Amino acid sequence: GIKDRPLAALSLLLSTRFWAPTGLWTGAGLTCLRFENLGLLLLAGFGLRRLLARSLAPFLGAEQARSAAVASSLFFVLHPLSVSTVVRATERGELIAMAAGLWGLHLFLRARQEREYALVAASGLLFAISAFAGRVAVFLPPLVAGLEFLSAARHRRKSQRIRTATTAFLLAAVLVG
């Protein structure tokens, strides 16, 4: 639950202090909370778009990758399960975890493809934030390994890609606990 995720609990506590200072939630306060959740969903959707455009570009070309990324992120944001996530206050942690995780994956892939190694540290920080916010962070290590194997430095031998993908998986697993 939310008690196991300190960032989710902190986020809801701050929202409570801001939108329900007396401790009683009104209709207007709940609407504001849902707008906050919608903002987090849109942030996650934009992170997904950036991640997919970058990861698909080597395979599809830049224009087709951007189109596929936009379509996928729109589907993600408009899907009925996403809408129900926005409505439920208890899902705040999962929204934070998705946004942080998707942006962390994007930064990781960018760092590996463009050799901007400072971004690896930033992606690690976002992975840790994701882990402290929601359960969805458990998917980050296999996603990191898959991105490392398929999209980063594709020209290397398969054995080298397996080794670096395994290393990336283990480091991400340590970060998300």
Side-chain angles (χ1 to χ4, degrees):
I2 199 160
K3 295 174 186 173
D4 302 332
R5 301 297 174 179
L7 284 181
L10 177 63
S11 174
L12 281 176
L13 177 67
L14 291 173
S15 291
T16 301
R17 300 271 183 207
F18 196 68
W19 302 117
T22 62
L24 297 173
W25 282 95
T26 63
L30 287 172
T31 300
C32 292
L33 182 75
R34 290 174 179 145
F35 274 116
E36 288 178 4
N37 285 354
L38 178 62
L40 288 168
L41 179 66
L42 293 173
L43 183 65
F46 188 62
L48 178 64
R49 187 190 77 70
R50 297 287 304 265
L51 172 65
L52 289 176
R54 181 167 288 280
S55 62
L56 294 175
F59 303 102
L60 303 177
E63 186 176 334
Q64 286 82 9
R66 269 193 308 274
S67 296
V70 167
S72 297
S73 63
L74 283 173
F75 180 76
F76 172 74
V77 170
L78 297 174
H79 192 277
L81 289 177
S82 296
V83 173
S84 67
T85 302
V86 167
V87 172
R88 297 180 66 206
T90 57
E91 297 301 317
R92 169 68 63 93
E94 299 306 317
L95 289 166
I96 294 170
M98 278 192 293
L102 288 167
W103 278 100
L105 288 168
H106 166 69
L107 290 180
F108 172 79
L109 188 57
R110 179 176 166 192
R112 295 293 292 139
Q113 287 178 340
E114 297 181 15
R115 293 187 171 98
E116 296 178 16
Y117 297 112
L119 293 179
V120 173
S123 71
L125 177 63
L126 288 171
F127 291 163
I129 288 170
S130 182
F132 281 108
R135 297 174 304 273
V136 73
V138 299
F139 296 108
L140 290 174
L143 289 171
V144 166
L147 289 170
E148 176 66 31
F149 183 78
L150 294 174
S151 296
R154 293 182 323 139
H155 60 279
R156 293 182 304 172
R157 291 192 329 259
K158 188 175 182 178
S159 61
Q160 288 177 314
R161 290 186 301 158
I162 290 172
R163 187 186 74 236
T164 57
T166 303
T167 302
F169 175 87
L170 293 173
L171 289 174
V174 166
L175 286 171
V176 299

